[in-house]
Amino acid sequence: MTSADKEKNIDFIREIVERDIREGKHDGRVHTRFPPEPNGYLHIGHAKAICINFDIAEEYDGLYNLRFDDTNPVKEDVEYVESIMRDIRWLGFDWEDRLYYASDYFDRMYIYAEQLIDKGAAYVCDLSAEEVREHRGTLTEPGRNSPWRNRSIEENLDLFRRMKAGEFPDGTRTLRAKIDMASPNMNMRDPAIYRILRKSHHRTGDRWCIYPMYDYAHCLEDSIEGITHSCCSIEFEDHRPLYDWFLDRLDIFHPQQIEFARLNLTYTVMSKRKLAMLVENDLVSGWDDPRMPTLSGLRRRGYTPEAIRDFIGRIGIAKRDSIVDMALLEYCIRDDLNRRAPRLMAVLDPLKVIIKNYPSDKSEELEFINNPEDSSAGSRMVQFSRELYIERNDFQEEPHRKFKRLSPGREVRLRYAYLVTCVDSVKDENGNVTELICTYDPETRGGNTPDGRKVKGTLHWVSAVHSKPAEVRLYDRLFTLENPLESDDFIDTINDESLMVINRCRIEPSAADLAIGEPVQFERQGYFCKDPDSTEGKLVFNRTISLRDTWKRILKNQK
RNA sequence: UGGGGCGUCGUCAAAUGGUUAAGACGCAGGGUUUUGGUCCCUGUAUUGGGGGUUCGAAUCCUCCCGCCCCAGCCA
C-alpha cells in the first residue's frame, strides 16, 4: 500500500498526535502507556485501551509503557499483575524493558507533595471522612472550607512528615490539595492526595503507611515517564483539570490526557464488579469461563489475538456512548479462523449409517483437504468403512421443502467420500430413527460424479470404528438482553442456555493430536478448540463460534 | 435544578461550510460452491427538534429535547 492509498479517515486521537508531531511538540516524540490497577482480570474493554495506547505508539514510531497503577494496596495483588502481563503479551504487545509500577515512584511522589505544601498548595486536614463529605457540598451547592485549611506551611510540613512516620491512626488525617471548595467541578473541591492506610503493599510491604490518591499519582506517573499522550476512558474527563493543576503547580513535564469512550458489547457486561458477581455466585466457572468477555475467557473460548485486534480496529474511537454489536466480534473471529483453522470432521449428535453394499471387512483411506482457503495446509488421509455416523439433523424422514440433505430415497454426497442413497431406516419402539441403511456408488470415490450428475447436499461424517468420542461444549451469549443493564437486575437476564454440554460426539481421530487452544473448524458446524479440561482419555472441545447458518435463517424467516 | 461530555443508517463510524451523507457489521435478495461456510454482486440514512446565518449547513449561531459522567480517605 502506498501512502496515497492509505485510509484517510483517522480518529480524533490520532489527529491530535499527528498535529503534535507536525508542530514539533515534545520534539515529535510519542510515548504512551497502559496503566491498569492490578486488582482484577483484563477484559475486552481493556483491550481497546491497550490497542489505542500501544498501536498509536507503534504507528508513530514511539514507545509504550506498561505501568501498574498500584496505589491502593487494599485491592491489589501480584496474582493480577501476572495475569495482566500474560494477557497483554497474548494480545501480541511487547513493552520490552518498560515495565513500571506507580509504587516505584512513592518516594518521588512524597517529595513532590512536600513541594506542594511548600508552595501553599496542599494542607493536612484533620476532618474525618464523614466530615469531609459534609464539607464538600453537593452538585448544586458549594462546599465549605475545612477548618484546617489555613495551617501554616511549617505546621503542614510537620504534620505530613508525622503522617508518613506513622504517628497517626488510619483515617485520622489526609493531605489535601488547596484548590476551591466552591468549584462547580467536584474534583476540584480540595481533593485528598494522601491518606493514612496501614496495609501491606504487594511490592513495598510495610514501608509506607500513607498512600497517594489516583488523581495526584497518575499525572505524576505520566510525567515521570515522559508520557506524551495519556489516553484514558471518558469518565476521567472532569479529572483532567486536576491532572493539569498538579503538573502546573509542580512545574514538571506535562503530558496531555485524552479521553475516549469505553467499549460496551451487546449481550454481555463489562464492569469488573459485575463480572466478579458472576464469578462469585458461580454463574460462570471462573474468570476464564469461555462465556466471559475477559481476555482469559475469550482465549479459552478460542478467540485469537488477531481477531480481537482486528475487532478493536474496526470499532473506531470516539467519545460518544455506544454498545457495539457482538455480531461484529463474531464476524472478526470467523474471518480470522476461516483463513487459518484446519478442517476436521466431527459429528456432534451421531446417527448411525450402515452402507449396505460396502463390505464389512473393508476400510479405505480417502484424501481430505485440510483447508480449502489455504492450499499450503495440504491434505490428510481419513478412514472410510461400512459403519459411519452422520449428524442426526442431516436426516429428515419427511423432508422440508428446502431441505437438501438426506431423506428416504434421496442421494447425497458424503464429503470427500462417496455418494450414498438412503434406502431404509431402523426405528426404536418410540418411532425414533436409530439407524439408516444406505447404499453407496463405488464410481463416486472422493465425492466426484463421473457421469456429471448433481446432488444438492454434502454431509460430514466419521467412521464409526475409527472415530473417537468427545465432549463438546457449545456456548451462546451469556445474557438474553442486548443490554443486560436495562433490566432491574442484570443477573435475571442470564441466558440459561448459554452453555450446552454434549457428550456423545464422535470425532476424527487426528483431533487427539491437537494442542490445547489450537483452532480447528468442524466442517459445516463451526470453529472449536480443545479445552484444558481434556485428558489423555477424554477429549473436550469448546465451540468458539458457529459457522454462519443460512439454513437456520431460512427456517426462521418462514415462521 | 451546578459542572463536564455526547447526539449522523438496526449497530459501530466517516464527512473539518460545496461529495449522490464514506466504510464496516447486520439485514434482505441474487450468483458461485464437494462446508446451506468462504467468495462475488445488488439493495439498505437527508444527520435529536425548532429557528437563524449563507448562493450553499451534518458542519456556523440560537433556543429546546434526550443520553452519559461527577458529591470515595477507589481507580
Side-chain angles (χ1 to χ4, degrees):
Chain A
M1 197 194 292
T2 72
S3 61
D5 299 332
K6 265 196 195 135
E7 192 54 65
K8 177 73 189 71
N9 297 326
I10 58 172
D11 57 79
F12 78 98
I13 297 181
R14 273 172 252 251
E15 246 167 46
I16 292 170
V17 172
E18 287 193 5
R19 190 194 59 216
D20 288 347
I21 292 171
R22 204 182 316 125
E23 293 176 356
K25 191 175 176 184
H26 308 306
D27 305 316
R29 197 167 58 80
V30 175
H31 201 146
T32 62
R33 102 272 94 112
F34 175 64
E37 182 186 21
N39 69 345
Y41 292 85
L42 260 26
H43 54 61
I44 192 167
H46 294 108
K48 177 177 180 182
I50 294 166
C51 289
I52 288 173
N53 279 289
F54 290 3
D55 281 338
I56 285 177
E58 277 181 358
E59 284 167 34
Y60 296 101
D61 299 318
L63 296 170
Y64 54 84
N65 297 355
L66 170 61
R67 177 172 75 228
F68 287 98
D69 205 357
D70 53 353
T71 57
N72 182 7
V74 174
K75 302 161 74 177
E76 296 153 8
D77 197 279
V78 284
E79 173 196 351
Y80 300 120
V81 342
E82 280 155 16
S83 80
I84 288 169
M85 291 201 282
R86 184 173 62 239
D87 289 345
I88 299 175
R89 281 200 198 97
W90 176 70
L91 277 179
F93 292 105
D94 179 6
W95 54 85
E96 300 176 326
D97 59 346
R98 294 177 308 280
L99 167 65
Y100 301 104
Y101 293 83
S103 52
D104 291 342
Y105 312 137
F106 282 171
D107 286 298
R108 287 178 76 170
M109 290 175 181
Y110 177 83
I111 291 167
Y112 282 134
E114 287 205 353
Q115 286 178 19
L116 243 25
I117 294 172
D118 269 329
K119 294 178 180 188
Y123 62 96
V124 172
C125 178
D126 299 2
L127 258 26
S128 69
E130 172 78 6
E131 291 165 327
V132 167
R133 192 178 331 124
E134 284 162 7
H135 280 72
R136 186 153 28 229
T138 67
L139 293 179
T140 51
E141 299 160 323
R144 289 157 22 234
N145 284 168
S146 162
W148 310 103
R149 198 171 199 261
N150 291 313
R151 288 216 252 231
S152 69
I153 289 173
E154 293 67 33
E155 188 182 3
N156 281 139
L157 228 35
D158 174 58
L159 253 15
F160 186 48
R161 287 174 181 157
R162 289 164 61 193
M163 276 170 64
K164 181 191 181 211
E167 288 190 30
F168 312 118
D170 285 9
T172 53
R173 282 175 229 258
T174 53
L175 183 68
R176 293 226 257 163
K178 192 192 277 192
I179 309 181
D180 177 10
M181 288 307 291
S183 172
N185 182 344
M186 301 297 284
N187 297 118
M188 302 298 272
R189 319 245 263 224
D190 290 11
I193 63 186
Y194 269 94
R195 75 279 218 180
I196 304 173
L197 185 61
R198 283 174 181 76
K199 176 82 170 101
S200 209
H201 186 283
H202 61 101
R203 301 197 81 235
T204 59
D206 296 319
R207 262 211 348 258
W208 294 87
C209 66
I210 58 171
Y211 291 95
M213 302 289 292
Y214 167 86
D215 284 307
Y216 173 69
H218 203 87
C219 56
L220 295 182
E221 296 158 22
D222 285 346
S223 178
I224 289 167
E225 292 175 16
I227 299 302
T228 56
H229 304 267
S230 178
C231 306
C232 63
S233 48
I234 204 149
E235 68 272 23
F236 292 105
E237 202 154 25
D238 43 43
H239 291 241
R240 186 171 6 115
L242 230 199
Y243 182 105
D244 294 335
W245 190 90
F246 286 120
L247 297 176
D248 289 342
R249 284 303 154 121
L250 260 7
D251 196 25
I252 55 178
F253 180 78
H254 198 142
Q256 179 181 4
Q257 174 178 299
I258 305 169
E259 311 84 9
F260 58 87
R262 313 168 63 121
L263 169 66
N264 293 294
L265 262 183
T266 56
Y267 300 106
T268 190
V269 292
M270 211 65 91
S271 97
K272 214 176 269 180
R273 206 189 110 256
K274 294 196 176 66
L275 294 174
M277 213 179 288
L278 297 173
V279 174
E280 285 156 15
N281 295 322
D282 291 322
L283 272 3
V284 294
S285 63
W287 286 95
D288 68 342
D289 185 296
R291 293 166 292 180
M292 293 281 271
T294 50
L295 295 181
S296 50
L298 290 165
R299 178 168 57 229
R300 185 166 179 182
R301 172 83 169 250
Y303 273 78
T304 60
E306 290 81 1
I308 291 171
R309 290 178 65 170
D310 178 39
F311 170 73
I312 299 297
R314 285 167 182 272
I315 59 176
I317 307 171
K319 299 188 75 159
R320 66 181 84 110
D321 278 351
S322 63
I323 306 182
V324 177
D325 195 336
M326 180 69 90
L328 180 60
L329 215 211
E330 295 175 344
Y331 167 83
C332 292
I333 186 62
R334 285 192 184 108
D335 189 48
D336 185 39
L337 261 21
N338 175 51
R339 272 177 273 130
R340 48 204 285 200
R343 273 57 170 170
L344 230 52
M345 297 293 167
V347 175
L348 268 28
D349 185 11
L351 174 60
K352 171 79 66 83
V353 170
I354 312 282
I355 311 294
K356 199 168 81 172
N357 57 341
Y358 195 91
S360 55
D361 57 350
K362 181 178 173 185
S363 76
E364 65 186 303
E365 283 196 322
L366 298 168
E367 184 177 20
F368 278 48
I369 291 166
N370 284 330
N371 184 350
E373 301 294 316
D374 176 10
S375 52
S376 73
S379 63
R380 67 188 184 283
M381 302 308 285
V382 175
Q383 293 286 338
F384 182 87
S385 63
R386 176 183 166 92
E387 296 197 10
L388 313 170
Y389 290 112
I390 64 165
E391 211 66 59
R392 182 164 290 274
N393 64 15
D394 278 339
F395 175 77
Q396 283 187 1
E397 192 160 26
E398 291 167 30
H400 175 282
R401 190 165 54 87
K402 293 189 171 172
F403 190 70
K404 303 202 291 201
R405 289 110 87 164
L406 200 58
S407 58
R410 187 183 288 176
E411 183 175 55
V412 297
R413 172 165 35 236
L414 294 180
R415 181 150 228 230
Y416 300 131
Y418 291 100
L419 268 57
V420 298
T421 304
C422 176
V423 295
D424 199 4
S425 62
V426 180
K427 294 178 182 176
D428 64 13
E429 58 279 14
N430 300 317
N432 300 315
V433 175
T434 56
E435 211 171 276
L436 259 26
I437 312 295
C438 296
T439 57
Y440 85 113
D441 177 356
E443 301 300 307
T444 59
R445 192 169 198 277
N448 306 301
T449 52
D451 60 353
R453 74 180 187 274
K454 303 266 192 242
V455 288
K456 283 195 286 186
T458 298
L459 312 186
H460 62 278
W461 56 274
V462 295
S463 164
V465 291
H466 302 278
S467 61
K468 294 189 187 283
E471 171 180 315
V472 172
R473 300 172 182 171
L474 305 179
Y475 301 101
D476 196 358
R477 350 195 102 148
L478 227 198
F479 295 92
T480 55
L481 245 45
E482 276 202 5
N483 181 2
L485 304 185
E486 273 176 5
S487 164
D488 293 335
D489 184 358
F490 77 102
I491 297 285
D492 296 340
T493 76
I494 286 183
N495 178 7
D496 307 320
E497 293 165 6
S498 59
L499 168 61
M500 229 175 86
V501 179
I502 43 181
N503 270 303
R504 297 176 45 255
C505 311
R506 304 294 308 189
I507 186 164
E508 208 182 300
S510 62
D513 306 329
L514 255 16
I516 303 291
E518 187 182 341
V520 284
Q521 183 193 101
F522 291 174
E523 288 217 28
R524 300 210 303 134
Q525 306 197 97
Y527 298 96
F528 295 77
C529 66
K530 198 187 281 185
D531 188 84
D533 285 351
S534 297
T535 60
E536 195 68 23
K538 184 184 177 194
L539 293 171
V540 179
F541 282 87
N542 294 317
R543 183 175 68 193
T544 308
I545 186 73
S546 67
L547 256 29
R548 284 181 83 226
D549 191 348
T550 46
W551 172 238
K552 200 159 84 187
R553 208 171 309 143
I554 288 168
L555 294 178
K556 198 183 84 194
N557 289 349
Q558 265 187 354
K559 286 183 185 158

